[in-house]
Amino acid sequence: MSRILRIAGAQMGGNQKADSRKAILDRMIALLEDAAGKGAKMVVFPELPFTTFFPRWLFTDTAELDTYFEKELPGPNTQALFDRAKELGVGMYVGYAELTPQGQRFNTAVTVGPDGAILGKYRKIHLPGTVEPRAGDRFQQLEKRYFEYGDMGFPAFRGPESWQRPVLGMLICNDRRWPEGWRCYGLQGVELMLIGYNSAAYDPMGGTTESADLRTFHSTLAVQANAYMNATWAVSVAKAGNEDGSGLIGGSVIVDPNGIVVAQAGTLGDEVILADADFDACRQGKEKMFNFAAHRRPQWYRPIVDQVGAVSPP
């Protein structure tokens, strides 16, 4: 019997500084409802979907910077999305800027089950950009200034029975370009990689060698290649288009374990993409092509606990 889950990518157009939190959340709920109406049981939102991509700006006022962060999730600015997802019986991956009780700041994502419970949490490790702003540039890439490096590693976890208990992994934006995270999840038997991103449609570090088309190509290439090499489904979802005068690439995709794009966004705005992910399709790569059965648990890899929200031992 096949293990099939209908998954959706909820690409978003740009969020402007002037947009209210409610207006943005209403758009996210509309995307969630659209996906659910088309039969999706799991929806992937972009990186930092609740606000504009604030690391492009220099903030000297901590109180202003704090308005972009969530002290709890769900919280006052996000509860309506979580409530609607639970009502619909739909799970989701959603990114956010996390401010911990200890004052640490992370670029974070969670995966939420159809019952509203948080199944997994991930903090972005591969932070791009600079700590100090670059002189003369209108738009900056200051993630290293506003976020600490993720401290949770790459912990895979299982989805619920209603999703066919797939092994899940999470990455955020720049992480998708590095093979290390994919391989860590691959060694844990990942079957569905969840990714949200906000990627500039120009070279965010200055220069003219990278066009929007080239950056979109590289975004898709990274997901196709790593999905194939780790024999996993992958959903990679953008916040796209014009955001406060700064361009973001689109190109949201769902990729199968053979590296084939099975769904792709055709706009730079709010758009839902869908695919039926058959997790048994991962077996060809894991059991034959890459022989994961023999090599997925090298002796230096951490133990994996058998419980919902954690991967079972082989």
Side-chain angles (χ1 to χ4, degrees):
M1 181 178 177
S2 295
R3 299 163 56 227
I4 295 175
L5 175 68
R6 178 159 288 189
I7 52 179
Q11 179 174 287
M12 296 176 64
N15 294 336
Q16 314 308 319
K17 260 186 172 183
D19 291 343
S20 70
R21 285 294 203 102
K22 183 180 184 304
I24 294 172
L25 204 67
D26 285 347
R27 285 172 49 213
M28 295 178 70
I29 291 172
L31 285 165
L32 184 79
E33 292 174 339
D34 184 10
K38 294 172 179 173
K41 298 300 181 184
M42 202 283 169
V43 180
V44 179
F45 285 101
E47 173 190 30
L48 301 177
F50 297 115
T51 67
T52 191
F53 184 74
F54 63 89
R56 71 169 60 92
W57 306 104
L58 176 64
F59 294 97
T60 57
D61 183 347
T62 301
E64 183 180 6
L65 178 63
D66 284 351
T67 64
Y68 292 97
F69 283 79
E70 310 299 328
K71 294 181 179 179
E72 56 183 326
L73 195 80
N77 293 318
T78 61
Q79 187 69 57
L81 176 69
F82 284 75
D83 289 346
R84 187 60 178 139
K86 185 176 180 179
E87 290 171 0
L88 294 167
V90 174
M92 59 183 176
Y93 161 109
V94 63
Y96 67 108
E98 177 190 11
L99 178 57
T100 72
Q102 296 76 32
Q104 295 174 289
R105 300 175 188 271
F106 297 101
N107 189 338
T108 303
V110 294
T111 296
V112 183
D115 61 354
I118 292 179
L119 301 175
K121 182 176 181 178
Y122 172 75
R123 289 169 172 164
K124 186 174 180 179
I125 289 175
H126 298 97
L127 297 177
T130 59
V131 174
E132 298 301 327
R134 301 183 311 280
D137 285 357
R138 179 186 177 195
F139 297 116
Q140 306 290 330
Q141 199 349 326
L142 297 173
E143 286 192 60
K144 286 186 174 72
R145 184 182 189 91
Y146 299 133
F147 297 121
E148 296 183 39
Y149 291 99
D151 59 357
M152 303 180 74
F154 300 104
F157 55 99
R158 281 201 183 271
E161 291 286 351
S162 61
W163 292 357
Q164 312 296 335
R165 282 183 58 79
V167 181
L168 305 173
M170 292 188 285
L171 298 170
I172 299 174
C173 198
N174 194 39
D175 291 320
R176 74 194 187 281
R177 306 180 190 277
W178 299 76
E180 292 89 343
W182 290 87
R183 180 56 65 189
C184 286
Y185 285 120
L187 292 171
Q188 297 172 79
V190 68
E191 296 173 302
L192 177 58
M193 189 71 80
L194 310 172
I195 309 164
Y197 62 95
N198 286 196
S199 292
Y202 52 88
D203 183 347
M205 295 298 291
T208 59
T209 59
E210 292 187 325
S211 66
D213 286 345
L214 180 61
R215 288 179 63 77
T216 303
F217 169 76
H218 285 156
S219 176
T220 306
L221 174 67
V223 177
Q224 286 184 271
N226 284 289
Y228 166 64
M229 288 185 287
N230 292 282
T232 182
W233 286 87
V235 187
S236 185
V237 180
K239 177 141 62 69
N242 186 315
E243 194 170 78
D244 293 317
S246 173
L248 294 171
I249 65 169
S252 299
V253 290
I254 301 175
V255 176
D256 77 6
N258 290 308
I260 296 171
V261 174
V262 297
Q264 186 164 22
T267 73
L268 293 176
D270 291 5
E271 181 179 352
V272 169
I273 59 174
L274 291 158
D276 290 323
D278 183 352
F279 299 119
D280 285 347
C282 300
R283 295 181 61 183
Q284 170 70 24
K286 293 186 186 301
E287 297 175 6
K288 298 179 183 178
M289 181 64 69
F290 298 111
N291 197 15
F292 277 81
H295 302 296
R296 63 178 277 200
R297 293 290 300 279
Q299 62 183 6
W300 57 84
Y301 212 80
R302 66 173 180 80
I304 301 172
V305 180
D306 186 13
Q307 59 185 26
V308 174
V311 177
S312 304

